[in-house]
Amino acid sequence: MSTLRDAMSHAALGWVKPELDETLRQVRNEVEYYAEDPSDASRMRICAGHLHQVQGTLRMVELYAPAMVAEELEQLANAIGSGQASDRDEACATLMRGSVLLPDYLERLQNVHRDIPIVLLPLLNDIRAARGAAGINESGLFLSLIHIS
């Protein structure tokens, strides 16, 4: 049954991946604009909105680990925009890195590789650290994914 579910998720990802790629490109643009003018907090609100859209789409196609990354990125964008990130430049760099690595991971899934959530754990913890949240361990990751699905 898991193989059928994976195949369905991969097929659905094929339908939404171009839009996800475009939305994540817009996220990167907003981070760049914000880095040029940090006084414009609206850029981070726009960025968070795009990431919320990515998260919802990934949940819809039942790709919960990548959706969790998008959720953490959204929270980071909100923290940056509200001035809660202690090191704004590092937080922006982490946001940018996440918005680059997420499409790469989705590309891997689209090429019929298995969704291996543990691969995303270091990125998740980097994102969490950038906004001052505690990291999670492997069991915490899997508990979160069970709760989501």
Side-chain angles (χ1 to χ4, degrees), residues 7 13-14 18 20 26 33 37 49 68-69 74-75 78 87 91 99 105 121 129 138 146:
L13 178 59
L20 289 170
Q26 291 172 1
Y33 294 144
D37 181 11
M68 192 173 175
V69 171
E74 178 186 355
Q75 290 178 27
N78 286 326
D87 184 342
S99 68
Y105 186 80
L121 187 58
E138 292 176 19
I146 289 170

Side-chain angles (χ1 to χ4, degrees), residues 13 24 54 58 62-73 94 97-109 114-129 135-138 140-142 145 148:
L13 178 59
L24 288 165
V54 169
L58 290 169
E62 299 182 352
L63 293 171
Y64 299 113
M68 192 173 175
V69 171
E71 179 182 14
E72 291 289 343
L73 289 170
T94 301
R97 187 166 59 92
S99 68
V100 168
L101 292 177
L102 188 55
D104 290 348
Y105 186 80
L106 296 174
E107 183 77 26
R108 180 177 157 77
L109 293 180
R114 292 190 61 213
D115 186 7
I116 305 171
I118 199 73
V119 170
L120 296 171
L121 187 58
L123 176 59
L124 283 167
N125 282 330
D126 288 349
I127 297 166
R128 292 176 64 83
I136 57 174
N137 58 23
E138 292 176 19
L141 172 65
F142 288 110
L145 292 173
I148 292 171

Side-chain angles (χ1 to χ4, degrees), residues 44-99:
M44 282 296 113
R45 285 192 298 276
I46 294 167
C47 185
H50 289 316
L51 289 162
H52 189 77
Q53 178 183 343
V54 169
Q55 177 195 167
T57 301
L58 290 169
R59 285 179 190 256
M60 182 182 68
V61 296
E62 299 182 352
L63 293 171
Y64 299 113
M68 192 173 175
V69 171
E71 179 182 14
E72 291 289 343
L73 289 170
E74 178 186 355
Q75 290 178 27
L76 179 57
N78 286 326
I80 294 167
S82 65
Q84 295 175 345
S86 61
D87 184 342
R88 184 183 65 220
D89 292 340
E90 179 62 30
C92 284
T94 301
L95 185 57
M96 183 65 82
R97 187 166 59 92
S99 68

